[in-house]
Amino acid sequence: MVSSMGSRNAPRVLLEQVVRLWFERQCLSRPRASTALGKRAFVALLESTGGIQLDSVNVVDRAHWLTLWSRFGGFDRRRVERWVYSERAAFEYWGHEACILPSAHLPEAMRRMKRIPELWEGKAWWKHFETSTASRRRVLRRLRGEGPLESSDFERGAHEVEADGGWGAAMPKEDKRTLKFLWHTGRIGVASRRHFRRVYDLASRVYPDVRASTRREEEDAWLLRGLAGNGIAQEAHLVNYLTAAGLKAPIRQKVIERNLRAGRVIHVHVDGLSESDGRKSGRSSDGARWLALPQHLELLDDLALPQGTTLLSPFDSLLWQRDRAEQLLGFRYRVEIYVPAEKRQHGYYVMPILHDGQLVGRLDPKFHRDRNVLEVRKLSVEPRFRRLASAHSFQRGLSDSLQSLAEFLGASTVQLPSAWRRRLA
């Protein structure tokens, strides 16, 4: 129940309500059980969470496919590609990182496109995209005359840049770097994908003709859409959630104060946070405020208890701000893909296990496409939830999740660690 706080008239909400609202906004209150994936549900997910992250790692499946499977179970990938690349219900650009974004977010994306030199000034990677005028003209001329092209359609250029600053490999040919630069700056767009490879075309043939957001609109969108995806949150929870605007701390504070004064955002107090389970208490030790959209508070008393089991991609939007997951759910998660094998704690491609609104464990899977086997190399339950290892509902939910994932991938067999084979049979 929401109650007011006296002199400041700031509502008080319970931690349980904060978490329920968060899962509702992430479309994870009823994972793989609530609704089938149709175009309307797809767009609603994009608009609610702020986008779906794209990533090239394919040890199980691409991140965006796993994000959709986590919420909807199996679906036809060709339909999703049609919604994005043919019907233009969405587009590819920078949100948290490279993402599929809803078409409604294009004005803010266009604002960022125009600001790339400003955003990238002084950044270590800027020199990698300072390609020649000749390369930029060549790329645009070929796209204009030949239509959509992949980076592999361009011959290898003569200009190579040695890697430094942690890139780990020599930079690709100049025209490939030019393609990425022109995409970031809005001169070209991603027209489609071929085996996950980007196919580029001129922006005028990819994006509809819309007005770019003003600076103020872009700044407000960072806050309002961050809260749309997280529900009740602190500023720190929003900083790395949607990174496209690239707002520095003083600007973020001005944006928050402006929206508080306008009533688009309100200040709330969260009860139920404690130090005993590793979560920060009260308004947090640094006095950070909790913020919410007024319309979300109207939903709190009617939010159902999250139910169901699913697995999350390491790049799922629920984990975009990992400190938030640690603070609210007591779950510490770090992507270990780029950590040397001998230093990994949990595995290479670790997928958190979501069960009844709690992150209760993690597993390290690998899809062996040559054998059609989904191998779970490691599976563990968090110490706080070890009792779940023998709980029938958890075992059934985890078994169903693994079988659903295997069917989605086209795997004929799920291979489990020996300690779990009998439990999940």
Side-chain angles (χ1 to χ4, degrees):
M1 181 176 181
V2 180
S3 60
S4 63
M5 185 224 167
S7 61
R8 293 188 179 180
N9 294 319
R12 302 192 76 96
V13 301
L14 301 175
L15 172 62
E16 180 183 359
Q17 293 174 309
V18 173
V19 174
R20 287 189 188 186
L21 178 62
W22 187 18
F23 280 106
E24 179 73 19
R25 299 307 302 166
Q26 290 290 321
C27 303
L28 285 168
S29 291
R30 295 290 186 276
R32 301 188 303 106
S34 57
T35 183
L37 179 60
K39 183 178 179 180
R40 181 176 297 180
F42 173 67
V43 173
L45 171 65
L46 296 177
E47 293 185 342
S48 179
T49 62
I52 298 175
Q53 186 172 343
L54 295 157
D55 192 87
S56 61
V57 177
N58 198 26
V59 68
V60 177
D61 206 345
R62 305 295 184 187
H64 59 301
W65 296 138
L66 290 175
T67 297
L68 290 170
W69 169 83
S70 295
R71 290 150 175 81
F72 300 100
F75 58 89
D76 186 343
R77 301 168 196 235
R78 292 170 299 180
R79 295 180 68 201
V80 177
E81 290 177 337
R82 185 175 71 246
W83 299 333
V84 177
Y85 303 114
S86 297
E87 300 177 14
R88 305 299 182 192
F91 66 102
E92 289 192 30
Y93 196 61
W94 205 263
H96 169 68
E97 292 195 15
C99 288
I100 297 174
L101 305 174
S103 57
H105 293 192
L106 182 57
E108 287 74 34
M110 294 182 69
R111 168 73 183 171
R112 183 182 192 273
M113 294 169 186
K114 295 181 177 182
R115 295 177 57 228
I116 285 301
E118 168 196 338
L119 288 172
W120 286 3
E121 184 178 3
K123 303 295 185 182
W125 60 81
W126 173 241
K127 62 184 176 184
H128 296 295
F129 295 99
E130 284 190 301
T131 54
S132 67
T133 300
S135 176
R136 297 178 188 184
R137 288 176 176 171
R138 181 168 61 246
V139 167
L140 291 170
R141 183 172 62 249
R142 288 197 60 187
L143 289 172
R144 190 177 300 113
E146 301 176 41
L149 296 171
E150 298 179 29
S151 61
S152 60
D153 293 318
F154 292 82
E155 293 183 4
R156 193 165 188 82
H159 303 286
E160 297 291 335
V161 178
E162 292 299 323
D164 58 12
W167 283 72
M171 285 300 293
K173 58 196 176 186
E174 184 182 25
D175 286 358
K176 185 172 182 179
R177 288 182 282 131
T178 291
L179 283 168
K180 290 184 178 180
F181 175 78
L182 293 175
W183 174 68
H184 277 287
T185 56
R187 300 290 300 279
I188 65 177
V190 178
S192 64
R193 290 264 180 174
R194 293 182 190 140
H195 306 292
F196 196 66
R197 299 190 302 270
R198 288 172 175 169
V199 180
Y200 296 96
D201 201 356
L202 298 178
S204 59
R205 299 199 286 239
V206 175
Y207 304 130
D209 184 16
V210 300
R211 177 186 65 83
S213 294
T214 64
R215 181 178 64 179
R216 188 185 185 100
E217 289 169 339
E218 181 192 34
E219 292 171 349
D220 289 347
W222 164 79
L223 174 62
L224 301 178
R225 287 178 178 156
L227 289 173
N230 287 278
I232 298 168
Q234 297 175 5
E235 178 192 349
H237 298 162
L238 306 178
V239 171
N240 292 319
Y241 188 76
L242 296 175
T243 64
L247 304 184
K248 298 185 183 300
I251 300 298
R252 293 197 303 267
Q253 283 296 312
K254 290 181 181 179
V255 173
I256 290 171
E257 295 303 329
R258 179 169 73 221
N259 281 275
L260 283 169
R261 290 194 301 270
R264 289 187 290 266
V265 171
I266 61 175
H267 173 209
V268 301
H269 290 266
V270 178
D271 294 329
L273 292 165
S274 67
E275 296 285 358
S276 60
D277 57 5
R279 302 168 184 171
K280 296 178 182 178
S281 61
R283 295 175 68 229
S284 85
S285 58
D286 60 0
R289 295 171 298 179
W290 292 85
L291 307 167
L293 300 178
Q295 60 268 32
H296 283 172
L297 297 189
E298 300 173 4
L299 307 174
L300 292 183
D301 290 338
D302 298 322
L303 291 174
L305 184 69
Q307 293 183 341
T309 309
T310 197
L311 311 173
L312 302 179
S313 157
F315 307 102
D316 195 284
S317 54
L318 188 77
L319 300 168
W320 281 353
Q321 223 304 334
R322 297 185 187 104
D323 288 344
R324 176 175 168 87
E326 188 169 355
Q327 180 181 4
L328 298 185
L329 302 175
F331 187 84
R332 189 178 191 277
Y333 182 77
R334 298 295 182 269
V335 176
E336 297 185 82
I337 290 172
Y338 308 108
V339 175
E342 65 275 10
K343 295 184 178 180
R344 292 181 192 135
Q345 290 185 313
H346 301 288
Y348 179 76
Y349 195 84
V350 176
M351 300 183 70
I353 304 169
L354 174 64
H355 177 70
D356 291 346
Q358 300 181 86
L359 295 176
V360 301
R362 55 193 95 202
L363 53 83
D364 180 24
K366 178 177 176 60
F367 179 33
H368 299 275
R369 293 170 178 82
D370 57 337
R371 297 184 283 125
N372 287 333
V373 173
L374 175 61
E375 177 191 10
V376 178
R377 295 177 286 193
K378 189 175 182 180
L379 197 165
S380 62
V381 178
E382 296 296 288
R384 296 168 59 219
F385 300 104
R386 280 181 181 159
R387 67 185 184 281
L388 289 176
S390 59
H392 180 66
S393 63
F394 171 70
Q395 293 176 0
R396 184 179 66 244
L398 181 56
S399 179
D400 288 348
S401 296
L402 287 168
Q403 186 59 42
S404 172
L405 179 58
E407 292 174 359
F408 179 62
L409 297 173
S412 57
T413 303
V414 177
Q415 193 174 94
L416 293 164
S418 57
W420 286 89
R421 288 174 193 163
R422 182 176 298 179
R423 295 179 189 176
L424 302 183

